[in-house]
Amino acid sequence: MLPYRRIRSCRKKSTAIYPPETPQPDRKNIAYTGTSVTYGRGKAVITATGMSTAFGKLAGLLEDIERERTPLQEKLDQFGRWLGTATLIVVAFVAILGIIEGFDPFEMFLWGVALAVAAIPEALPAVVTVGLALGVRRMVKRHALVRKLPSVETLGSTNIICTDKTGTLTQNKMTVEKVYVNGTLLKVTGEGYKPTGDFFNGDKPVSEDIHLHRLLATGTLCNDAGLVENEGVWDITGDPTEGALVVAAAKEGIWKNALEEKHERKGEVPFSSERKMMTTLNSSEDGLYAYSKGAPEVILASCTKIFLEGHEEELTPERKQEILNVVNDLANQTLRVMGFAYRKVPEDILYEEAEKEMVFSGLMGMRDPPREEVKLGIATCTSAGIRTIMITGDHKTTAFAIARELGIFREGDLVLTGTELEALAIGNLKKSWRKFRSTQGFIPSIS
């Protein structure tokens, strides 16, 4: 058997011509400043240098950031100007009145200076600092750490909050709730990382099913996470999404350590945001198999067959559309959906060929439950006049469903992908921004 190696996550370059509206990350015919060449050779035409490059423009944008003064600082400046003007007027009036009354001009000058000094509130900076410090103390009691004192005051002036989703609005504890296999949608019970639960087809339990076993085994072998127990408490090591797959398999009695002893990993093509899938090569009693997981549309594009009724059948366009409809339905239920596939491969196969002509084995829908306090927090912000924007890398449909569940999305709000946002003309972007400012919110989903 030829030795396999871990393939570094990379993006292949191309000489193809792309439309002008192609987003910068998708322009594979351009090597940007900072690009690392991992293999291959080629010639390139330099189109920009220094600050004219994409990297340089980004650095220029960061240089142009201006630190605005806080509302409190602006008010203190305004108060200082008003107090200084009022003091000068009063001092001048007192000095002139004293001279008119016959007092010595030099003596009245000294009285005016003394009056001006007395009118200046020397303790004002100390009072402001103490007030902000008390605010920091109150924030600490609410489990919020404030690094800079002025932040306490600017927090009270907040009118827009931009927030991430995973781990911020949600618990970042993925749990498999739905499984689509053999043309049937199954429900999975159990909570958290504890490997106890069952699979149900309606009200009927499903167990020892060859289709379900193959799907769960694929998700376990094509996986870098682990399931551990410490003093009766179950937890995962690695990525929460991959951990959810290992937990789901354990509920069916498929334990990763035991499975990997029988199916040793010989190589892998790791996940990358460009490919949106991961593939491992594992040995078996009857040969070498490739197991893949990733975005459903990407997995389906790599498949020519589907595992149905105990054997492999052709994956027709109609069946692909049916699967995509299931994906959309699960996404509307705020589930993150992953597709799975496998294929028996030759012993000497090249890793570039492992992800072709695969057999689709099924889908898994996972939920990252929202934090219990988030919905109340968003409602509190809304009642205080603060608009909430959710920015996430999830699928647009999933982002919309979660935003609606948490109360971020309301009728008339906008849901935009990164591509749609970038494609907006400046005029339309300003119009969308004015609409956002006059309604409730605006949820970009960077998918």
Side-chain angles (χ1 to χ4, degrees), residues 6-7 218-225 239 242 245 256 260 265 267-282 290-295 298-299 302 338-342 351 354-355 358:
R6 183 181 179 94
I7 308 304
T218 299
T220 304
L221 292 172
C222 184
N223 201 309
D224 290 326
D239 181 75
E242 291 191 323
L245 304 179
K256 185 179 181 184
E260 287 183 332
R265 183 181 296 190
E268 70 175 273
V269 186
F271 176 86
S272 71
S273 57
E274 292 84 12
R275 300 184 332 103
K276 296 184 179 180
M277 68 182 298
M278 171 186 177
T279 300
T280 61
L281 298 169
N282 297 76
Y291 297 100
S292 296
K293 74 172 187 295
V298 177
I299 293 296
S302 68
M338 295 190 71
F340 300 85
Y342 69 94
Y351 72 90
E355 297 173 340
M358 304 195 78

Side-chain angles (χ1 to χ4, degrees), residues 192-268:
Y193 297 135
K194 190 175 182 180
T196 55
D198 296 295
F199 296 79
F200 289 89
N201 181 4
D203 296 330
K204 182 181 178 182
V206 177
S207 183
E208 298 183 2
D209 180 85
I210 184 174
H211 308 89
L212 178 61
H213 186 280
R214 183 159 297 183
L215 172 63
L216 296 174
T218 299
T220 304
L221 292 172
C222 184
N223 201 309
D224 290 326
L227 180 62
V228 295
E229 181 187 14
N230 184 16
E231 297 181 356
V233 178
W234 291 90
D235 200 358
I236 61 151
T237 58
D239 181 75
T241 301
E242 291 191 323
L245 304 179
V246 176
V247 173
K251 292 177 180 179
E252 186 63 12
I254 303 174
W255 297 91
K256 185 179 181 184
N257 292 339
L259 192 65
E260 287 183 332
E261 288 179 2
K262 297 180 179 179
H263 303 272
E264 182 184 356
R265 183 181 296 190
K266 298 296 183 179
E268 70 175 273

Side-chain angles (χ1 to χ4, degrees), residues 304-354:
T304 57
K305 296 181 179 180
I306 183 173
F307 188 54
L308 284 175
E309 302 300 335
H311 58 276
E312 299 173 0
E313 298 182 5
E314 180 186 358
L315 183 58
T316 62
E318 292 76 17
R319 283 173 173 167
K320 280 189 177 182
Q321 187 58 50
E322 180 182 344
I323 295 170
L324 290 174
N325 291 339
V326 174
V327 171
N328 190 58
D329 291 341
L330 293 177
N332 283 327
Q333 299 174 37
T334 71
L335 298 179
R336 176 180 293 179
V337 187
M338 295 190 71
F340 300 85
Y342 69 94
R343 173 195 173 195
K344 187 175 182 181
V345 296
E347 297 286 341
D348 58 350
I349 190 171
L350 298 176
Y351 72 90
E352 294 92 342
E353 303 296 324

Side-chain angles (χ1 to χ4, degrees), residues 164-185:
D164 181 32
K165 178 184 72 67
T166 305
T168 305
L169 301 178
T170 60
Q171 300 178 21
N172 199 24
K173 291 184 178 180
M174 303 297 293
T175 305
V176 175
E177 291 190 357
K178 297 289 180 67
V179 170
Y180 179 77
V181 64
N182 195 27
T184 305
L185 191 62

Side-chain angles (χ1 to χ4, degrees), residues 17 94 111 147 155 178 187 199 222 228 264 321 360 400 414 424 435:
I17 299 175
V94 171
W111 275 99
R147 294 176 55 198
L155 184 62
K178 297 289 180 67
K187 180 181 178 181
F199 296 79
C222 184
V228 295
E264 182 184 356
Q321 187 58 50
F360 183 78
F400 168 73
L414 299 175
L424 284 176
K435 180 180 179 182

